[in-house]
Amino acid sequence: LYDESLKKGIMNFQARYGLKEDGIAGPSVLKEMNTPLSGRIQQIIVNMERARWVNPNPPGNFLLVNIPQFKLSVIENDSTIWTSNVVVGKEMHKTVIFRGDLKYVVFSPYWNVPPGILKNEVLPAIRRNPNYLTRNNMEWHGNTVRQRPGPDNPLGLVKFVFPNSYNIYLHDSPSRSLFEQQKRTFSHGCIRVADARKLAIYLLRNNSSWTESRIDEAMNSGKEQFVTLTETIPVNIVYFTAWVDRSGRINFRDDVYKRDSRVMNMIFQKSNKGGQ
């Protein structure tokens, strides 16, 4: 009998697996339900091993991006203040796992076309259509190409920079519909934030000169502006396909970059060597 109690149970299950919480036991729900228990045990073991490598919850305030969860969490003193959906890198452009310190908020940013995209996409398009740059609000900048600030800029209206050798950063996006997808692997490696305006307000909350109205004005000015944070905030980019949430519920997510089996093999090799 499909009653209200069963519906709530299915929705609770969907929440723990990152599925749409509609209470319908559709194909995605049945797929997760039919995963063997042994597979879930292995998944837990793999992520317990990952937790040994990195502290995903350091003391103080920080931003946490869990790639398989497609979520950014704002953490203050071990409490989650709010979360935002994110888009991460495609399988061929995996978002890198590392820790950085966020130092700059950039309003109305230019998008400097990465070398790979310039070579494989933009230059061939220019050869096919000499008006390609003008039509796409782009311009030459030295030996590379950049797109001018504006609502159609791939970085949206604001980006957040934590200097690193991978050239990875957080940013807004004009492609809003992608944030509603269940599997959000669409970027070239950077992390698109659904609530970018909210993040900008949060990061500048202790700077009285940056009111919400001034932030809105800067985001829509069409003129690039760098703002240095008075205090940097750590950004932890992690990869966990299983974890216990703050309500004590075990969560599972798809292994979007197919990394769990590699870790599991490493664990078995260690245990076999130990046995020998």
Side-chain angles (χ1 to χ4, degrees):
L1 178 64
Y2 186 87
D3 57 11
E4 192 63 28
S5 177
L6 179 56
K7 180 180 179 181
K8 288 181 179 178
I10 293 173
M11 292 177 69
N12 180 59
F13 182 90
Q14 290 170 323
R16 293 194 300 110
Y17 286 80
L19 305 174
K20 183 180 179 181
E21 297 173 44
D22 56 11
I24 299 172
S28 57
V29 170
L30 297 178
K31 172 180 173 290
E32 300 295 352
M33 285 183 171
N34 283 307
T35 298
L37 182 59
S38 59
R40 295 304 182 199
I41 292 172
Q42 287 191 3
Q43 202 170 352
I44 292 170
I45 291 171
V46 164
N47 286 278
M48 288 175 67
E49 176 68 16
R50 285 193 176 112
R52 296 176 58 229
W53 305 344
V54 61
N55 179 8
N57 293 302
N61 303 341
F62 62 96
L63 306 182
L64 179 71
V65 176
N66 185 13
I67 294 169
Q69 190 185 10
F70 308 117
K71 286 282 187 183
L72 177 146
S73 299
V74 178
I75 313 293
E76 286 189 358
N77 300 316
D78 201 36
S79 296
T80 303
I81 304 303
W82 54 274
T83 64
S84 173
N85 285 350
V86 299
V87 168
V88 298
K90 307 171 186 176
E91 174 67 23
M92 65 182 69
H93 301 289
K94 296 180 180 69
T95 296
V96 182
I97 300 166
F98 73 102
R99 179 194 177 282
D101 292 308
L102 201 157
K103 296 183 177 182
Y104 310 106
V105 177
V106 185
F107 294 113
S108 295
Y110 281 96
W111 178 50
N112 296 297
V113 179
I117 299 177
L118 179 65
K119 177 183 176 182
N120 299 322
E121 299 178 26
V122 174
L123 292 181
I126 293 173
R127 285 193 288 269
R128 290 192 302 268
N129 180 2
N131 293 321
Y132 177 84
L133 293 183
T134 302
R135 289 179 56 186
N136 289 277
N137 198 28
M138 290 178 168
E139 63 186 14
W140 283 101
H141 183 63
N143 293 322
T144 188
V145 171
R146 66 182 183 180
Q147 186 167 11
R148 300 181 186 92
D152 296 324
N153 187 295
L155 304 185
L157 302 177
V158 60
K159 74 175 181 178
F160 310 91
V161 180
F162 40 109
N164 60 83
S165 60
Y166 308 107
N167 198 28
I168 298 293
Y169 44 85
L170 306 170
H171 65 87
D172 184 26
S173 173
S175 304
R176 307 305 301 173
S177 62
L178 297 182
F179 292 114
E180 304 304 319
Q181 300 293 319
Q182 183 175 306
K183 183 180 179 181
R184 296 189 286 276
T185 51
F186 301 106
S187 83
H188 281 79
C190 286
I191 300 162
R192 307 175 192 176
V193 182
D195 296 317
R197 176 182 180 272
K198 187 174 182 178
L199 181 58
I201 292 170
Y202 173 79
L203 293 172
L204 295 170
R205 67 196 182 284
N206 295 323
N207 188 331
S208 58
S209 65
W210 280 100
T211 61
E212 289 192 25
S213 60
R214 187 182 176 193
I215 287 172
D216 288 334
E217 182 180 345
M219 287 176 65
N220 293 280
S221 68
K223 182 179 179 181
E224 187 175 68
Q225 181 177 3
F226 277 72
V227 180
T228 303
L229 298 181
T230 54
E231 184 176 343
T232 63
I233 182 168
V235 179
N236 279 10
I237 304 175
V238 298
Y239 191 94
F240 285 95
T241 60
W243 69 91
V244 175
D245 65 25
R246 293 174 185 271
S247 299
R249 304 180 305 174
I250 184 73
N251 279 246
F252 296 100
R253 294 296 187 274
D254 283 343
D255 180 15
V256 291
Y257 291 162
K258 305 295 184 288
R259 289 176 168 167
D260 282 4
S261 59
R262 189 171 57 193
V263 178
M264 198 67 207
N265 291 336
M266 182 191 70
I267 294 171
F268 276 126
Q269 287 172 4
K270 274 187 177 180
S271 63
N272 289 339
K273 288 180 180 178
Q276 293 172 359

